[in-house]
Amino acid sequence: MPTPANLVTEICEDAGVNDAASSDDRVKALKCLNRAIEEVQTSTYCAKRAYSLLPAGDVDCALAGWTEFNAESNLLSDDLMLAIDYVSIGDTLADGNYVPSKTLDQVSIKEILDLRVSTASGQDPTVYAYSPGTLHLDSSATGTQVLIFATVSTADLTETSVEDDIVGIPPAWHRRLLLPLATATLLEGWEAEEQRAAVYRRRSDAAFAQFALFTNRSRGVNMNRYPIQDFSTPGVVER
């Protein structure tokens, strides 16, 4: 599979622009590749981490302050997490596997604050709320572990990035999905390139529909946030 630098070269070649190192066109192509990756990730990519809560009273958890939160390169750093999709409590076994015991419902921050008034400290949380960078719980007990699935966007690639830096998108889809999407984005930024841009946009839309179906079927860490829908234009209704 191609490296990010190889992908940038192919984007430049498909768009018919200068692919010389550090040229304005190549720099722009890299930016478009990063935009394409972000667009795909924020639609289909979820990452997960398990955390141990601090002593009772740790109810407004600044996620960036947890060592585990930034332990994985380019995953779940505070400025790259878009939303929390799923939270559960449970235990981590000796082999490192996490066993969820209860799923927490998401409520408003106001409901969290109201519940704190009537909930004794030192109990496992029952619900959660989320504001950018912070997980809010109604209660917290020492040693309680929470598992978070979060929609994320990873850090931008550079010319020296490697294939594994494109997280959430399997290598088999790098050329098939990212190339037409990045090329369409690049061409859409120039006048008189509308037709060529439309061709690549149609290719990327078709590839994204296939990728969304792939992630839906995988039922793994890469999960769709929304069900697959057919957005094709319906045929003429016969009378």
Side-chain angles (χ1 to χ4, degrees):
M1 289 294 104
T3 64
N6 295 146
L7 290 174
V8 172
T9 297
E10 292 190 43
I11 293 167
C12 291
E13 291 174 347
D14 287 350
V17 299
N18 183 8
D19 68 346
S22 301
S23 66
D24 290 344
D25 288 341
R26 188 175 182 88
V27 171
K28 179 67 173 178
L30 177 60
K31 291 179 180 179
C32 290
L33 175 61
N34 280 311
R35 290 177 188 173
I37 292 171
E38 182 178 29
E39 185 173 334
V40 174
Q41 287 173 335
T42 53
S43 298
T44 61
Y45 180 55
C46 290
K48 66 180 175 67
R49 289 293 290 174
Y51 308 96
S52 294
L53 296 178
L54 297 176
D58 183 25
V59 289
D60 291 308
C61 309
L63 300 183
W66 286 354
T67 303
E68 297 91 339
F69 194 71
N70 296 306
E72 295 185 27
S73 176
N74 293 342
L75 291 183
L76 291 182
S77 61
D78 180 39
D79 57 335
L80 298 175
M81 189 166 76
L82 302 179
I84 289 179
D85 298 290
Y86 170 90
V87 176
S88 72
I89 59 175
D91 298 297
T92 299
L93 304 180
D95 60 3
N97 289 322
Y98 181 90
V99 181
S101 60
K102 180 181 180 181
T103 299
L104 304 184
D105 291 328
Q106 185 175 14
V107 299
S108 69
I109 293 179
K110 181 182 183 303
E111 290 177 82
I112 290 284
L113 297 177
D114 290 341
L115 284 170
R116 288 179 188 174
V117 175
S118 57
T119 302
S121 62
Q123 296 181 357
D124 284 340
T126 60
V127 292
Y128 79 95
Y130 175 68
S131 60
T134 304
L135 176 68
H136 305 277
L137 303 171
D138 58 324
S139 183
S140 175
T142 302
T144 296
Q145 292 188 313
V146 294
L147 178 70
I148 299 176
F149 274 94
T151 302
V152 299
S153 173
T154 57
D156 284 350
L157 300 177
T158 67
E159 287 275 11
T160 59
S161 297
V162 297
E163 180 185 281
D164 288 345
D165 291 329
I166 306 177
V167 295
I169 307 172
W173 291 91
H174 291 177
R175 180 178 280 116
R176 188 186 316 179
L177 174 60
L178 297 178
L179 274 182
L181 182 53
T183 304
T185 304
L186 182 63
L187 291 172
E188 287 168 350
W190 287 319
E191 293 184 8
E193 292 290 356
E194 290 82 4
Q195 281 191 312
R196 294 180 63 212
V199 170
Y200 284 99
R201 178 60 67 176
R202 285 195 296 272
R203 290 179 184 175
S204 68
D205 286 346
F208 185 82
Q210 294 173 344
F211 179 69
L213 183 60
F214 161 78
T215 59
N216 189 57
R217 286 173 173 168
S218 72
R219 297 295 197 274
V221 172
N222 298 334
M223 302 183 301
N224 284 71
R225 297 187 66 201
Y226 309 104
I228 303 300
Q229 300 181 49
D230 183 3
F231 290 104
S232 58
T233 303
V236 178
V237 177
E238 296 183 1
R239 295 179 180 236

